[in-house]
Amino acid sequence: MKNGIFESEFAKGFINLCEMGWQKGWHERNGGNLSYRIKKEEIAPYLDSLCRTGEICGIGVTLPHLAGEFFMVTGSGKYMSNVKGDPENCLAVIEILPDGGHFRTVAGLSAGGRPTSELPTHLMGHDARMSATDGSRRVIYHCHPANLIAMTFLLPLEDRVFSKELWEMMTECPIIFPAGVGVVKWMVPGGAEIARASVEKMKTFDAVVWAHHGIFCAGDDFDNTFGLCHTVEKAAEIWIKVRSVAESKRQTITKDEFVELAKAFGVELNTDFLD
Ligand code: 2HA
Ligand code: ZN
Protein backbone atom coordinates (compact mmCIF):
# COMPACT_ATOMS: atom_id res chain seq x y z
CA MET A 1 0.00 0.00 0.00
CA LYS A 2 1.85 3.13 -1.25
CA ASN A 3 0.77 6.11 0.81
CA GLY A 4 1.81 9.73 1.27
CA ILE A 5 1.17 9.51 5.01
CA PHE A 6 4.70 8.16 5.50
CA GLU A 7 6.07 11.44 4.12
CA SER A 8 4.05 13.60 6.51
CA GLU A 9 5.73 15.78 9.15
CA PHE A 10 4.65 13.51 12.00
CA ALA A 11 5.93 10.45 10.12
CA LYS A 12 9.29 12.20 9.75
CA GLY A 13 9.44 12.65 13.53
CA PHE A 14 8.44 9.01 14.04
CA ILE A 15 11.05 7.71 11.59
CA ASN A 16 13.72 9.99 13.07
CA LEU A 17 13.13 8.58 16.56
CA CYS A 18 13.48 5.00 15.22
CA GLU A 19 16.75 5.97 13.55
CA MET A 20 18.12 7.74 16.64
CA GLY A 21 17.30 4.73 18.84
CA TRP A 22 19.00 2.43 16.33
CA GLN A 23 22.08 4.69 16.27
CA LYS A 24 22.20 4.57 20.09
CA GLY A 25 22.37 0.77 20.02
CA TRP A 26 19.04 0.31 21.78
CA HIS A 27 17.45 -1.83 19.03
CA GLU A 28 19.46 -4.97 18.37
CA ARG A 29 17.79 -7.18 15.72
CA ASN A 30 14.02 -6.47 15.88
CA GLY A 31 14.12 -5.18 19.48
CA GLY A 32 11.90 -2.31 20.60
CA ASN A 33 8.76 -0.63 19.33
CA LEU A 34 7.14 2.80 19.01
CA SER A 35 3.61 4.16 18.76
CA TYR A 36 2.17 7.64 18.19
CA ARG A 37 -1.43 8.82 18.67
CA ILE A 38 -2.00 10.90 15.55
CA LYS A 39 -3.66 14.32 15.94
CA LYS A 40 -7.02 14.87 14.22
CA GLU A 41 -5.57 17.61 12.00
CA GLU A 42 -2.62 15.39 11.06
CA ILE A 43 -4.75 12.46 9.89
CA ALA A 44 -7.45 14.61 8.19
CA PRO A 45 -5.58 15.16 4.88
CA TYR A 46 -5.05 11.40 4.50
CA LEU A 47 -8.47 10.03 5.51
CA ASP A 48 -9.61 9.54 1.89
CA SER A 49 -6.45 7.64 0.96
CA LEU A 50 -6.58 5.12 3.83
CA CYS A 51 -7.74 1.55 3.25
CA ARG A 52 -10.56 1.18 5.78
CA THR A 53 -11.91 -2.20 4.69
CA GLY A 54 -9.12 -4.49 5.94
CA GLU A 55 -9.24 -7.31 8.47
CA ILE A 56 -10.64 -6.37 11.89
CA CYS A 57 -8.47 -7.60 14.78
CA GLY A 58 -9.14 -7.70 18.54
CA ILE A 59 -6.91 -5.66 20.85
CA GLY A 60 -7.56 -8.12 23.70
CA VAL A 61 -8.89 -5.38 25.98
CA THR A 62 -11.51 -2.64 25.58
CA LEU A 63 -10.20 0.93 25.67
CA PRO A 64 -13.20 3.22 25.09
CA HIS A 65 -11.09 6.41 25.38
CA LEU A 66 -9.15 5.35 22.30
CA ALA A 67 -12.21 4.69 20.08
CA GLY A 68 -11.82 6.49 16.77
CA GLU A 69 -8.14 7.33 17.33
CA PHE A 70 -5.47 6.63 14.70
CA PHE A 71 -1.97 5.45 15.67
CA MET A 72 1.26 5.08 13.77
CA VAL A 73 3.07 1.98 15.11
CA THR A 74 6.11 -0.13 14.28
CA GLY A 75 5.46 -3.56 12.77
CA SER A 76 5.93 -6.85 14.60
CA GLY A 77 9.32 -8.39 13.79
CA LYS A 78 10.46 -5.30 11.86
CA TYR A 79 13.95 -3.93 12.50
CA MET A 80 14.31 -0.29 13.68
CA SER A 81 17.42 -0.17 11.47
CA ASN A 82 15.20 -0.58 8.38
CA VAL A 83 12.53 2.01 9.23
CA LYS A 84 14.28 5.01 7.66
CA GLY A 85 14.91 3.19 4.35
CA ASP A 86 11.48 1.55 4.05
CA PRO A 87 8.86 3.09 6.35
CA GLU A 88 5.89 1.80 4.34
CA ASN A 89 6.99 -1.76 4.95
CA CYS A 90 8.16 -1.40 8.57
CA LEU A 91 5.37 0.81 9.95
CA ALA A 92 1.58 0.67 10.14
CA VAL A 93 -1.20 3.16 10.65
CA ILE A 94 -4.05 1.60 12.61
CA GLU A 95 -7.54 2.83 13.38
CA ILE A 96 -9.26 1.94 16.66
CA LEU A 97 -12.87 1.03 15.91
CA PRO A 98 -15.79 2.69 17.73
CA ASP A 99 -16.14 -0.21 20.22
CA GLY A 100 -12.62 0.51 21.56
CA GLY A 101 -11.86 -3.22 21.47
CA HIS A 102 -10.83 -3.73 17.83
CA PHE A 103 -8.53 -2.15 15.28
CA ARG A 104 -7.63 -2.44 11.63
CA THR A 105 -4.51 -1.57 9.68
CA VAL A 106 -5.30 1.29 7.29
CA ALA A 107 -1.85 2.02 5.81
CA GLY A 108 1.65 0.58 5.71
CA LEU A 109 3.00 -2.97 6.27
CA SER A 110 3.32 -3.00 2.48
CA ALA A 111 4.86 -6.48 2.47
CA GLY A 112 2.31 -7.80 4.99
CA GLY A 113 2.58 -8.38 8.73
CA ARG A 114 1.05 -7.15 11.94
CA PRO A 115 1.53 -4.19 14.28
CA THR A 116 4.07 -4.55 17.13
CA SER A 117 3.82 -7.58 19.43
CA GLU A 118 3.55 -5.08 22.30
CA LEU A 119 0.43 -3.42 20.83
CA PRO A 120 -1.86 -4.13 23.84
CA THR A 121 0.81 -2.70 26.20
CA HIS A 122 1.21 0.37 24.00
CA LEU A 123 -2.52 0.99 23.67
CA MET A 124 -3.18 0.41 27.38
CA GLY A 125 -0.21 2.73 28.10
CA HIS A 126 -1.69 5.42 25.85
CA ASP A 127 -5.02 5.06 27.61
CA ALA A 128 -3.36 5.45 31.06
CA ARG A 129 -0.98 8.31 30.19
CA MET A 130 -3.61 10.14 28.13
CA SER A 131 -6.02 10.08 31.08
CA ALA A 132 -3.33 11.07 33.60
CA THR A 133 -2.11 14.03 31.50
CA ASP A 134 -5.30 15.50 29.99
CA GLY A 135 -4.43 14.01 26.62
CA SER A 136 -0.98 15.61 26.30
CA ARG A 137 0.95 12.32 25.99
CA ARG A 138 0.96 10.98 22.43
CA VAL A 139 4.12 8.90 22.14
CA ILE A 140 5.04 5.55 23.70
CA TYR A 141 8.49 4.11 23.10
CA HIS A 142 10.10 0.83 24.14
CA CYS A 143 13.82 0.09 23.75
CA HIS A 144 16.63 -2.03 25.21
CA PRO A 145 19.34 0.32 26.62
CA ALA A 146 22.23 -1.71 28.04
CA ASN A 147 23.17 0.24 31.18
CA LEU A 148 19.63 0.46 32.52
CA ILE A 149 19.17 -3.27 31.91
CA ALA A 150 22.47 -3.90 33.74
CA MET A 151 21.20 -1.94 36.78
CA THR A 152 18.24 -4.31 37.08
CA PHE A 153 20.66 -7.10 38.07
CA LEU A 154 22.17 -5.07 40.90
CA LEU A 155 19.45 -3.10 42.68
CA PRO A 156 16.20 -4.14 44.37
CA LEU A 157 13.36 -3.81 41.82
CA GLU A 158 11.64 -0.95 43.66
CA ASP A 159 10.40 2.37 42.26
CA ARG A 160 11.93 4.39 45.10
CA VAL A 161 15.37 2.77 44.86
CA PHE A 162 15.71 3.19 41.08
CA SER A 163 14.26 6.72 41.14
CA LYS A 164 16.64 7.99 43.83
CA GLU A 165 19.74 6.28 42.40
CA LEU A 166 19.01 7.67 38.90
CA TRP A 167 18.21 11.17 40.20
CA GLU A 168 21.54 11.26 42.08
CA MET A 169 23.56 10.47 38.95
CA MET A 170 22.97 13.72 37.09
CA THR A 171 21.61 17.03 38.37
CA GLU A 172 19.00 17.43 35.61
CA CYS A 173 17.41 14.01 36.20
CA PRO A 174 14.99 15.16 38.93
CA ILE A 175 13.94 18.05 36.67
CA ILE A 176 13.33 15.77 33.69
CA PHE A 177 11.55 12.96 35.58
CA PRO A 178 10.40 14.51 38.88
CA ALA A 179 7.86 11.74 39.53
CA GLY A 180 10.67 9.16 39.36
CA VAL A 181 10.55 5.90 37.43
CA GLY A 182 8.41 2.81 37.93
CA VAL A 183 9.95 -0.66 37.97
CA VAL A 184 8.31 -3.96 37.03
CA LYS A 185 9.78 -7.39 37.69
CA TRP A 186 10.71 -9.73 34.85
CA MET A 187 7.69 -10.85 32.82
CA VAL A 188 7.03 -12.45 29.45
CA PRO A 189 7.14 -9.70 26.76
CA GLY A 190 4.00 -9.00 24.77
CA GLY A 191 1.74 -10.64 27.37
CA ALA A 192 -1.25 -9.36 29.31
CA GLU A 193 0.61 -9.44 32.64
CA ILE A 194 3.41 -7.04 31.58
CA ALA A 195 0.79 -4.79 29.99
CA ARG A 196 -1.25 -4.64 33.19
CA ALA A 197 1.80 -4.09 35.42
CA SER A 198 3.22 -1.37 33.15
CA VAL A 199 -0.09 0.42 32.86
CA GLU A 200 -0.49 0.41 36.64
CA LYS A 201 2.91 2.17 36.87
CA MET A 202 1.99 4.52 34.00
CA LYS A 203 -0.79 6.01 36.12
CA THR A 204 2.11 7.70 37.98
CA PHE A 205 5.27 7.51 35.86
CA ASP A 206 6.23 8.42 32.28
CA ALA A 207 9.12 5.94 32.43
CA VAL A 208 8.79 2.30 33.45
CA VAL A 209 11.83 0.03 33.77
CA TRP A 210 11.29 -3.59 32.70
CA ALA A 211 13.68 -5.79 34.68
CA HIS A 212 16.30 -7.56 32.53
CA HIS A 213 14.55 -6.21 29.41
CA GLY A 214 14.45 -2.44 28.87
CA ILE A 215 12.35 0.68 29.29
CA PHE A 216 8.83 1.74 28.37
CA CYS A 217 8.41 5.54 28.11
CA ALA A 218 5.64 8.04 27.37
CA GLY A 219 5.94 11.64 26.20
CA ASP A 220 4.13 14.54 24.53
CA ASP A 221 6.22 14.43 21.36
CA PHE A 222 9.06 12.46 19.76
CA ASP A 223 11.81 14.73 21.09
CA ASN A 224 10.79 14.67 24.72
CA THR A 225 10.02 10.94 24.73
CA PHE A 226 13.41 10.10 23.24
CA GLY A 227 15.00 12.70 25.52
CA LEU A 228 13.48 11.01 28.57
CA CYS A 229 14.85 7.59 27.55
CA HIS A 230 18.22 9.14 26.75
CA THR A 231 18.38 10.89 30.14
CA VAL A 232 17.42 7.74 32.09
CA GLU A 233 19.94 5.64 30.16
CA LYS A 234 22.72 8.23 30.57
CA ALA A 235 22.08 8.30 34.34
CA ALA A 236 22.20 4.48 34.31
CA GLU A 237 25.52 4.61 32.43
CA ILE A 238 27.00 6.91 35.09
CA TRP A 239 25.63 4.61 37.81
CA ILE A 240 27.32 1.60 36.19
CA LYS A 241 30.60 3.54 35.85
CA VAL A 242 30.51 4.60 39.50
CA ARG A 243 29.60 1.09 40.62
CA SER A 244 32.34 -0.39 38.44
CA VAL A 245 35.07 1.44 40.30
CA ALA A 246 33.68 1.62 43.85
CA GLU A 247 31.24 -0.20 46.11
CA SER A 248 29.80 3.03 47.49
CA LYS A 249 29.69 6.76 46.71
CA ARG A 250 32.07 9.17 48.46
CA GLN A 251 29.43 11.96 48.20
CA THR A 252 26.17 12.64 46.41
CA ILE A 253 23.35 15.19 46.11
CA THR A 254 21.61 15.46 49.50
CA LYS A 255 17.88 15.51 50.22
CA ASP A 256 18.03 19.25 51.06
CA GLU A 257 19.85 19.93 47.79
CA PHE A 258 17.21 17.99 45.81
CA VAL A 259 14.50 20.07 47.48
CA GLU A 260 16.39 23.28 46.66
CA LEU A 261 16.79 22.14 43.04
CA ALA A 262 13.09 21.32 42.66
CA LYS A 263 12.19 24.75 44.06
CA ALA A 264 14.60 26.56 41.73
CA PHE A 265 13.19 24.79 38.65
CA GLY A 266 9.56 24.79 39.79
CA VAL A 267 9.09 21.02 39.55
CA GLU A 268 7.07 18.86 41.89
CA LEU A 269 9.62 16.30 42.99
CA ASN A 270 8.35 13.09 44.56
CA THR A 271 10.23 13.67 47.81
CA ASP A 272 8.80 10.45 49.34
CA PHE A 273 11.53 8.69 47.33
CA LEU A 274 14.32 10.70 49.00
CA ASP A 275 14.12 9.16 52.48
O1 2HA B 1 11.24 -7.37 19.95
O2 2HA B 1 11.26 -5.51 22.16
O3 2HA B 1 9.54 -6.42 23.92
C1 2HA B 1 10.26 -6.49 20.31
C2 2HA B 1 10.39 -6.23 21.75
C3 2HA B 1 9.44 -6.88 22.63
ZN1 ZN C 1 11.59 -5.42 24.24
Side-chain angles (χ1 to χ4, degrees):
M1 196 189 305
K2 201 89 183 144
N3 205 308
I5 199 165
F6 294 102
E7 279 119 55
S8 61
E9 278 309 304
F10 72 86
K12 279 185 205 159
F14 191 106
I15 294 163
N16 187 45
L17 191 157
C18 295
E19 179 62 18
M20 288 195 296
W22 159 245
Q23 296 290 346
K24 282 276 173 210
W26 300 343
H27 296 290
E28 74 296 330
R29 203 176 181 277
N30 62 320
N33 27 71
L34 174 64
S35 63
Y36 172 65
R37 186 166 55 86
I38 303 170
K39 294 178 184 164
K40 296 276 176 272
E41 64 271 25
E42 290 171 327
I43 196 75
Y46 300 100
L47 282 176
D48 288 344
S49 63
L50 302 174
C51 169
R52 300 173 81 179
T53 55
E55 184 194 353
I56 293 177
C57 305
I59 299 170
V61 285
T62 304
L63 302 165
H65 295 126
L66 301 188
E69 297 279 352
F70 289 83
F71 291 85
M72 181 167 275
V73 302
T74 47
S76 178
K78 305 293 184 187
Y79 288 35
M80 288 290 194
S81 53
N82 292 333
V83 169
K84 189 175 166 192
D86 197 2
E88 283 160 6
N89 174 23
C90 296
L91 309 181
V93 177
I94 63 166
E95 173 182 18
I96 310 298
L97 299 184
D99 69 356
H102 295 83
F103 73 90
R104 71 178 147 223
T105 300
V106 295
L109 296 175
S110 55
R114 298 180 62 80
T116 168
S117 58
E118 301 282 5
L119 189 67
T121 322
H122 276 253
L123 294 179
M124 286 165 72
H126 278 288
D127 188 62
R129 277 329 276 159
M130 194 175 133
S131 306
T133 64
D134 241 346
S136 79
R137 300 294 188 269
R138 292 190 168 270
V139 181
I140 294 203
Y141 177 45
H142 165 59
C143 61
H144 300 165
N147 292 287
L148 187 65
I149 297 171
M151 274 179 86
T152 68
F153 294 91
L154 297 167
L155 282 178
L157 300 174
E158 293 168 19
D159 304 343
R160 66 164 49 242
V161 176
F162 269 75
S163 297
K164 181 162 179 277
E165 291 290 331
L166 290 168
W167 285 341
E168 282 180 58
M169 290 301 111
M170 211 164 52
T171 292
E172 299 202 356
C173 286
I175 302 160
I176 292 165
F177 49 100
V181 298
V183 185
V184 300
K185 67 179 174 79
W186 185 87
M187 290 178 204
V188 177
E193 197 195 2
I194 197 165
R196 269 196 298 272
S198 306
V199 166
E200 197 48 43
K201 298 288 181 187
M202 280 215 149
K203 290 180 185 163
T204 315
F205 306 106
D206 275 319
V208 180
V209 180
W210 287 357
H212 322 321
H213 183 158
I215 186 167
F216 195 73
C217 269
D220 292 349
D221 58 32
F222 298 112
D223 282 345
N224 78 16
T225 309
F226 188 84
L228 173 58
C229 272
H230 192 187
T231 307
V232 171
E233 169 58 6
K234 179 141 186 213
E237 181 181 349
I238 298 167
W239 193 92
I240 292 292
K241 284 183 199 291
V242 170
R243 189 63 177 248
S244 301
V245 292
E247 262 302 303
S248 60
K249 299 162 203 147
R250 173 67 183 80
Q251 60 269 318
T252 186
I253 305 168
T254 65
K255 181 173 179 180
D256 287 348
E257 287 169 339
F258 274 123
V259 171
E260 199 184 328
L261 178 70
K263 209 167 135 206
F265 282 83
V267 297
E268 213 170 302
L269 192 64
N270 182 358
T271 47
D272 289 349
F273 285 172
L274 293 175
D275 297 318

